[in-house]
Every structure is written in C-alpha cells, then in structure tokens.
Amino acid sequence: MKKEAVSLSQLREIIQGTETDFLVFTQTNCPYCSLAFRVLESKELTFTDFNLDNHDGLRQEVVSQTGHRTAPVVFDLRGEEPVFVGGSDNLLDYL
C-alpha cells in the first residue's frame, strides 16, 4: 500500500471529516490499540481507526499537536470541539 503524505491542514481535515464518536490513530500490530477498540465497543461508542503507518508525516503531526508519542492516540469527537483523550490507559480513565 502506498503511503500518503499528510500536512497539518490535512490532520485537521481528518478530525473534522470523521463522523464517529471517537477517532483513534493507530499503528499496525498494536495491542493497546486493540484494547482501545474493545473499550469503545463495550460502551457502544462508534470509532474510526486511522492507521499512522499508512500516511507519511501523520505521526509527526499527531505528536506535534498532542505531545503523545505512542499509539493509540484517541480523540473524543462527540462535542462541539474535538477532545484529545490520550492513549488506551487515558481512555479507560476518561470513560
């Protein structure tokens, strides 16, 4: 699969264009990402899985915006503005 280059404005577009309850930036073979999915599913919340491995530059933009360096990176999109939740442990506390 070809990787796509992503700019900061594209990161905002990804967040704004997501129509689920949560946006989860992930990476391939990530047990903590799987945990986040299970938590969201158990609460019957919808989510979009956006794999960082498939988009050049996106990981750097996510880290730049959030300061969070590991996957998953979870955003709550249920309110007027997106809320950066953190990783899977933060999601457990958040919900």
Side-chain angles (χ1 to χ4, degrees):
M1 176 181 285
K2 182 180 176 196
K3 291 185 176 186
E4 299 175 31
V6 176
S7 70
L8 183 55
S9 64
Q10 288 172 310
L11 177 58
R12 286 189 191 119
E13 287 177 19
I14 292 166
I15 292 171
Q16 292 172 351
T18 302
E19 296 182 4
T20 54
D21 296 325
F22 285 80
L23 174 60
V24 184
F25 289 100
T26 64
Q27 64 186 34
T28 306
N29 298 323
C30 171
Y32 297 104
C33 300
S34 298
L35 173 61
F37 297 155
R38 287 193 307 272
V39 168
L40 292 168
E41 288 169 348
S42 75
K43 304 284 186 182
E44 298 183 355
L45 295 165
T46 60
F47 61 90
T48 298
D49 171 5
F50 205 95
N51 191 315
L52 295 168
D53 292 339
N54 298 328
H55 303 275
D56 282 336
L58 182 56
R59 183 180 309 274
Q60 292 82 8
E61 293 300 335
V62 170
V63 170
S64 166
Q65 285 273 321
T66 66
H68 193 81
R69 298 187 173 278
T70 60
V73 179
V74 181
F75 286 88
D76 182 350
L77 305 178
R78 295 176 293 175
E80 299 245 349
E81 293 293 322
V83 174
F84 167 63
V85 175
S88 59
D89 289 342
N90 304 108
L91 181 63
L92 287 168
D93 293 339
Y94 184 77
L95 295 176

